[in-house]
């Protein structure tokens, strides 16, 4: 069982929480905590053997924690997701394979694409695929997506190389639920054509960034980043090709962290307790 | 103030320790713990603001911990070291520079070399240098080193590219006090000429390993390791040159971890609580 | 068009080769060469725009090169492969996905497994799967595999987590044609259970190695290696899980290098001209 | 002997150059070339055994190369440098140590600092140190620096954590001669306080960039970059401390590349032929 706590910091929190759990016969097998002294915030992730009274646990914790504490107790950490794609297959295929072999830590409810390109791979894995073409009318386009999402229960929308910018209205429906993979080491090269920007600038490393989507394009809280070496010999298409490997890896890692309840968000940043 | 605890594991240890500290008005600013379930061992490193009764703390901790617990309370984490070298300068110079600028986390008491090569750099930094030539008589050679060490207080002997194999007798005098940098990714290429071995084997990565020295050559507990890419274009001298950079970095990192009281040893392995 | 040359070194080879190509109106778009001075060997990989007389090119090159030169001219670098597996899906799924999207640089002719586990994923991608159970009779087991391979044209056998040791007889049928992914940073932890070995030794990095298979188990020429950080918190199953990611990446990279005609073998080592 | 060539590309350049060298009995031991097809530029770096007529070589090369070719022949690749610093020691100390042990590939003529902090370390290594205090009058400050540089021959000015912004006038005196280490992964976090910017943005990697200095602050051609992982637990001072290690390593690497005549500049980018 995973217990996640985010609250105002104060002296003695670890003692209070661990004391309560010990008293109720929960055996802590893993505990990670972080304090942001500037923000005066306390973050904790616990894995415990569930042998005590789970029913009353949240209430008992709330009694010993500062007012306004966020407490999540997840006996079943399996999440549900919807994946949005355009034409590039690499991130989607990785997600579909892990989903099929039950190592994703989440189940893919459906895939929504604005091109038909990736329909076949979804069907081969028995995952529903919805085509929503991006016509000129953005509001209608997004409404079509919303209509599909309403057919499913889900925890997260994963933008697996979904190449359309989502509106404020759309994003605000799903606060801290949308996860995107951006093909640069943000904040360098935000916006369009990051590999072309990287090529023009002559950088010696290219990267990828998985982040929550907020109103500001490419400005949401960063979950995971990684880079690979680049040099003068790489053309823009070479960078695109090399980048796919790292985009796949970074998104996979970010999703694993989120699905494992390891990511906390505050002040447009994340705390990741591994 | 840093508190380090290593003991048999049992349920409720975190609660007991954090409860005791809270009760005595110590504010925990950093806490890391690890449990080896197989070995049934508990490891913890705490940083606390010292506002309570330090005098009685160790005794109070001992009362709530299992019998045989190792407890270290270090109000002053500054360590003292003696460095042993042969001819290569890179690790020694890095240590001397950090020592001079007081960022090493330890003070260098003296340097012992079996060649005169590095005497001048020591003297430039006002660090005593002792020449102990490695004649045929190994016992006498080692006794000469021991005689010098006896003039100083020290916590660790650092073998900063000291190219002589130390005897069982010597090593057993300083259990878990001797730290060595080996120029390979151990356990690959233990023993002599690791870069030549790496070249012959055609590996695509070369590495360095910092470890405690035990009786078994290159078999002691590993503290830190790192690698860099290698390829067919590197000759053995090229590998030696490239390796120096990583040897310097890995030894620096290992020393920092040890001097910060972050390294626990058991079963020929280390737990490193960062 | 790709031209690959391996021969005894002598002064003026680059001038002779590039002169010949210029004279025959081949435009060199990429040229990489390497000389092993110890072995007195010359290696070169060229990409040229095919505008001249390809028919006579090999003969023309042979005239200007030392006797015994290996020359390969590949107008179509697409390779054909057969994949051998046991139960673990990660490497196979990656290969199947790239094969399906035509980014593998090779086409998968069939998959042979000694367990039924991975049959379904193959069928979903319309790739033939053959079950060859590993009974007590190793010779019969291997003969069954040979019989299947004889139905297909292929350039390479890829052991994508195939967990059986192949006999001398089997390996010698396919010299420098079998590529294996080993789940350690060879030569460390050759043989069985490398992650358990790594755990016991307490290493701070774990790795994966793709190599050609020769008679000596895990001793063949290394094509690619990579590592990821490890620490005391990883159990053996944690290492297995983390290792899968890097095994997949290293095998993918090695295959790309081989399929692109970038890997030369000599003296149980490889030259990789990127 | 190192030969460096940069010119307009055309078919047959490699054949022409290697043919000329072969004819004149120069033995090529290393050859690297790059073509930027978009810019139609050819770059080549050769290492040759000097056995022929060096005197006439540049003229002979010029005859076979396109008009306007840049040709550099360096029988002695040892460079001369002047280092500018403020208060931080890490990059300077690394340079001084390598200079002292003659592994820098250049000789340090003098050090100029706008604080006295680093005078002592220079004197310990017998390197002249000049204090030039940054008063309100920037023009006078820079003139004082220029006056000192005029006492020495030098190839490069190295800004080893020199924390003052140099004027257009100053920079234009030394085109592509000034090398700076910036403590971020440019173009992310250009300008002041990059670690604070990185902290605020919550990035998961921090980096360092060595680049030529041009008029645009932090916008010059990038020579080398590298990153290290970061996470939520790092405060700004922690990042500063961790960053010093990578700043030192990246500047060392960039200087080695420049001093080895491996770096070509064009279009605000570099080609690095290793």
């Amino acid at each position: 069982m995973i217990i996640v706590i985010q609250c105002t910091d104060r002296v003695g929190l670890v003692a209070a929480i661990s004391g309560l759990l010990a008293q109720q016969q929960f055996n802590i097998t893993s505990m990670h905590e972080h304090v942001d002294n500037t923000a005066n915030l306390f973050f904790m992730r616990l894995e415990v053997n569930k042998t005590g009274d789970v029913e009353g646990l949240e209430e008992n914790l709330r009694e010993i924690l500062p007012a306004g504490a966020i407490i999540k107790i997840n006996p079943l950490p399996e999440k549900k997701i919807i994946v949005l794609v355009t034409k590039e297959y690499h991130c989607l295929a990785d997600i579909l394979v892990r989903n099929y072999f039950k190592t994703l830590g989440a189940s893919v409810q459906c895939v929504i694409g604005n091109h038909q390109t990736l329909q076949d791979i979804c069907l081969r894995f028995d995952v529903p695929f919805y085509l929503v073409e991006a016509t000129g009318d953005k509001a209608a386009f997004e409404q079509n997506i919303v209509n599909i999402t309403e057919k499913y229960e889900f925890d997260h929308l994963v933008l697996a190389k979904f190449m359309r910018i989502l509106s404020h209205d759309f994003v605000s429906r799903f606060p801290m639920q949308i996860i995107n993979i951006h093909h640069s080491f943000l904040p360098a090269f935000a916006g369009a054509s990051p590999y072309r920007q990287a090529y023009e600038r002559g950088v010696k490393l290219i990267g990828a960034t998985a982040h929550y989507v907020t109103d500001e394009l490419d400005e949401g809280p960063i979950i995971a980043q990684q880079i690979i070496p680049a040099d003068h010999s790489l053309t823009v298409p070479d960078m695109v090709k090399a980048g796919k490997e790292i985009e796949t890896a970074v998104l996979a890692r970010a999703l694993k962290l989120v699905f494992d309840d390891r990511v906390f968000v505050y002040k447009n940043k994340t705390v990741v307790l591994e």
Side-chain angles (χ1 to χ4, degrees), chain A:
Chain A
M1 193 171 70
I2 294 166
I3 304 171
V4 165
I5 296 168
Q6 179 172 344
C7 62
T8 308
D9 188 34
R10 72 175 178 220
V11 175
L13 275 180
V14 171
I17 296 166
S18 57
L20 173 66
L21 291 170
Q23 177 200 327
Q24 301 207 354
Q25 307 298 319
F26 288 97
N27 190 20
I28 301 172
T29 56
S30 163
M31 174 168 78
H32 292 93
E33 63 282 332
H34 173 65
V35 172
D36 183 323
N37 286 313
T38 314
N40 199 36
L41 283 174
F42 173 88
F43 306 86
M44 179 175 266
R45 181 183 184 277
L46 294 141
E47 294 184 15
V48 301
N49 289 338
K50 172 192 169 181
T51 49
D53 170 21
V54 182
E55 290 303 307
L57 182 59
E58 184 172 335
E59 202 175 302
N60 291 338
L61 280 168
R62 200 165 295 285
E63 282 166 16
I64 61 167
L65 293 176
I70 300 168
I71 304 168
K72 286 188 212 161
I73 299 175
N74 292 324
L76 286 172
E78 174 95 343
K79 302 291 189 297
K80 293 186 173 70
I81 64 170
I82 291 174
V83 184
L84 276 72
V85 298
T86 297
K87 286 179 175 177
E88 289 174 272
Y89 74 85
H90 51 289
C91 290
L92 175 64
D94 185 71
I95 290 169
L96 289 175
V97 165
R98 291 175 201 260
N99 181 62
Y100 170 75
F101 285 104
K102 308 217 172 306
T103 55
L104 182 62
S107 65
V108 180
Q109 304 295 88
C110 71
V111 174
I112 302 171
N114 63 323
H115 282 269
Q116 200 131 15
T117 319
L118 299 174
Q119 177 167 345
D120 183 66
I121 183 94
C122 291
L123 299 187
R124 283 176 188 264
F125 282 111
D126 302 326
V127 170
F129 177 89
Y130 296 89
L131 176 65
V132 180
E133 288 184 80
T135 58
D137 183 349
K138 187 167 179 171
F141 171 65
E142 291 188 346
Q143 186 56 50
N144 286 337
I145 294 173
V146 169
N147 292 345
I148 295 162
T149 64
E150 287 177 346
K151 297 182 190 170
Y152 296 93
E153 281 185 33
F154 65 94
D155 298 284
H156 299 284
L157 293 179
V158 178
L159 310 186
K161 303 294 288 176
F162 180 68
M163 306 310 278
R164 313 293 301 184
I165 296 170
L166 295 164
S167 71
H168 168 77
D169 272 8
F170 188 94
V171 170
S172 60
R173 271 175 189 268
F174 308 105
M176 294 307 144
Q177 283 190 284
I178 312 178
I179 296 165
N180 184 43
I181 179 73
H182 182 79
H183 40 313
S184 86
F185 177 72
L186 288 174
F189 312 130
S193 302
Y195 290 127
R196 171 149 298 281
Q197 293 183 62
Y199 174 82
E200 301 291 352
R201 185 62 189 88
V203 289
K204 301 303 185 190
L205 304 167
I206 55 175
T209 303
H211 63 97
Y212 288 104
V213 176
T214 56
D215 266 16
E216 304 291 319
L217 179 66
D218 302 332
E219 292 288 337
I222 293 169
I223 305 166
Q225 301 188 290
Q226 197 44 277
I227 58 91
I228 46 174
D231 70 17
H232 59 270
S233 72
L234 296 183
T235 60
V236 176
D238 291 336
M239 285 188 179
V240 169
K241 202 182 291 182
K244 286 182 204 297
E245 306 293 328
I246 198 162
E247 292 162 25
T248 308
V250 169
L251 182 57
R253 179 166 158 64
L255 293 182
K256 183 173 157 40
L257 293 170
V258 169
F259 299 160
D260 269 5
D261 292 315
R262 295 183 184 280
V263 184
F264 301 71
V265 178
Y266 76 112
K267 290 174 72 178
N268 206 41
K269 301 202 289 190
T270 62
V271 167
V272 179
L273 296 182
E274 291 186 79

